[in-house]
Amino acid sequence: MPPGITTLAADAPTLSAANTGFMLICSALVMLMTPALAFFYGGMVRVKSTLNMLMMSFISLGIVTILWVLYGFSLAFGTDSGSIIGWSSDYVGLSGIGITELWDGYTIPVYVFAVFQLMFAIITPALISGALADRVKFTSWALFITLWVTVVYFPVAHWVWGAGGWLFELGVIDFAGGTAVHINAGAAALGVILVIGKRVGFKKDPMRPHSLPLVMLGAGLLWFGWFGFNAGSWLGNDDGVGAVMFVNTQVATAAAMLAWLGYEKLRHGSFTTLGAASGAVAGLVAITPAGGAVSPLGAIAVGAIAGVLCAMAVGLKYKFGYDDSLDVVGVHLVGGVAGSLLIGFFATGGVQSDAKGLFYGGGLDQLGKQAVGVFAVLAYSLIVSAILAFLLDRTIGMRVEEDDEVSGIDQVEHAETAYDFSGAGGGSSSRSTPPAPGTTAAPTTKKVDA
């Protein structure tokens, strides 16, 4: 995603209605991804945790929106300070921005850029929630989001995309969020679960998805919304880069889904719907940083590699004993790392920049830059997230009581259940039974339960 760039007055762009409209549509598509994620995660948990899982995503829409307006946009995209953080008083409360003021170097208003970036800020902490299913107090989760976006997401977004941010200045390529979104969220998830521990019954009780159709619906909506996430990240349509990103998003996702299913068939003997959905998401994650740097053939390679790596990685939690409930680490962290590093191999130098990967004559230079970005974000997010979780756990507590976890977090935290089965039963009805053939007996009536 390109940050603001300085242009000469004579070359200053003018507002483009086409690009502005396109970016507003992309912003709406990215907003849709958070409810889509809620459905995707909600279908993967047990019935007793469905509503809580939905709410852990939905609450991010409320909290992060307000924080972004108050100070988040200023911290992430304000004037650089030491290549670490930004700040611009005009961005505080979005109060000092003219309605036709353009984002520096582009043809869209600052307001449009701000709202597009807001949707990224919303979905990133929501991604973390999947690792914590079944066991976290909703109040503690809401406070964690507030603290996490403030001290982790906003600074990291500035490092990667803000003008003057140290990773951007280094030349790390992250088209739409491999480091700032997916590695950031995946590392945070790992940090938190190492602090709060495993679910009751982990590796003992079956914890199968309660609604695979809901999972598939969520995955399909994520795939749809991701076109706005990725293609919109070039902030316009003037040079064709966004179109390449759109194509690569589709291609890599398809390749990853097929690769995951192939691995699954060879390893476990079946093609599962959960595997198809998870493979698609893995491909979307991996192409997010890389899609503006690779060709469609490169996108196939990125997707296929990520599909296999993520399919392998989701089993690591059983080997190492960390309880990543819905495989946020296995899909988002591993997929984000894979996509970011593969830029160092498959970047053609002919799309978003002239940086070339190893397979296109660029040597190891870009791979080295990508590795710095990957591991800097991973380490910072993991450590700070673990500290935040530790502080919350030792003060207000992060986990619900064990009995509440076993009986169902939906009822305890939200006083509701996802499905009301009482309406499907109760009462009785009468069924008439016709006389047997060849008889003249009157029909009999039998009382049956509805």
Side-chain angles (χ1 to χ4, degrees), residues 2 6 11 62 64 76 81 85 87 91 129 150 169 174 178 189 198 218 234 296 343 347 358 388 422 430 434:
T6 303
D11 300 323
V64 180
S81 178
I85 200 66
W87 187 260
Y91 294 165
S129 67
T150 301
E169 295 299 326
D174 186 354
K198 308 174 184 65
W234 200 241
I343 294 170
L358 179 64
L388 291 176
S422 64
S430 296

Side-chain angles (χ1 to χ4, degrees), residues 22 74 157 231 270 335 371 422 432:
F22 170 73
S74 183
S270 301
S422 64
S432 295

Side-chain angles (χ1 to χ4, degrees), residues 18 102 179 218 221 247 295 339 381 386 414:
L102 300 183
T179 54
L221 290 173
V247 170
S295 69
S381 182
H414 308 291

Side-chain angles (χ1 to χ4, degrees), residues 23 29 50 101 139 225 243 264 347 358 361 364 444:
M23 290 305 302
L29 286 171
T50 306
E101 181 182 345
T139 301
E264 192 174 56
L358 179 64
L364 296 174
T444 60

Side-chain angles (χ1 to χ4, degrees), residues 334-399:
V334 173
V337 169
S340 297
L341 293 180
L342 287 171
I343 294 170
F345 295 95
F346 292 105
T348 66
V351 190
Q352 74 175 95
S353 72
D354 59 3
K356 293 183 179 181
L358 179 64
F359 297 158
Y360 288 82
L364 296 174
D365 181 60
Q366 191 60 43
L367 179 60
K369 294 176 181 178
Q370 296 303 121
V372 171
V374 163
F375 293 108
V377 173
L378 193 161
Y380 178 74
S381 182
L382 188 152
I383 293 170
V384 176
S385 302
I387 292 171
L388 291 176
F390 178 82
L391 293 174
L392 288 172
D393 195 45
R394 292 299 182 270
T395 52
I396 64 174
M398 282 286 284
R399 293 190 64 146

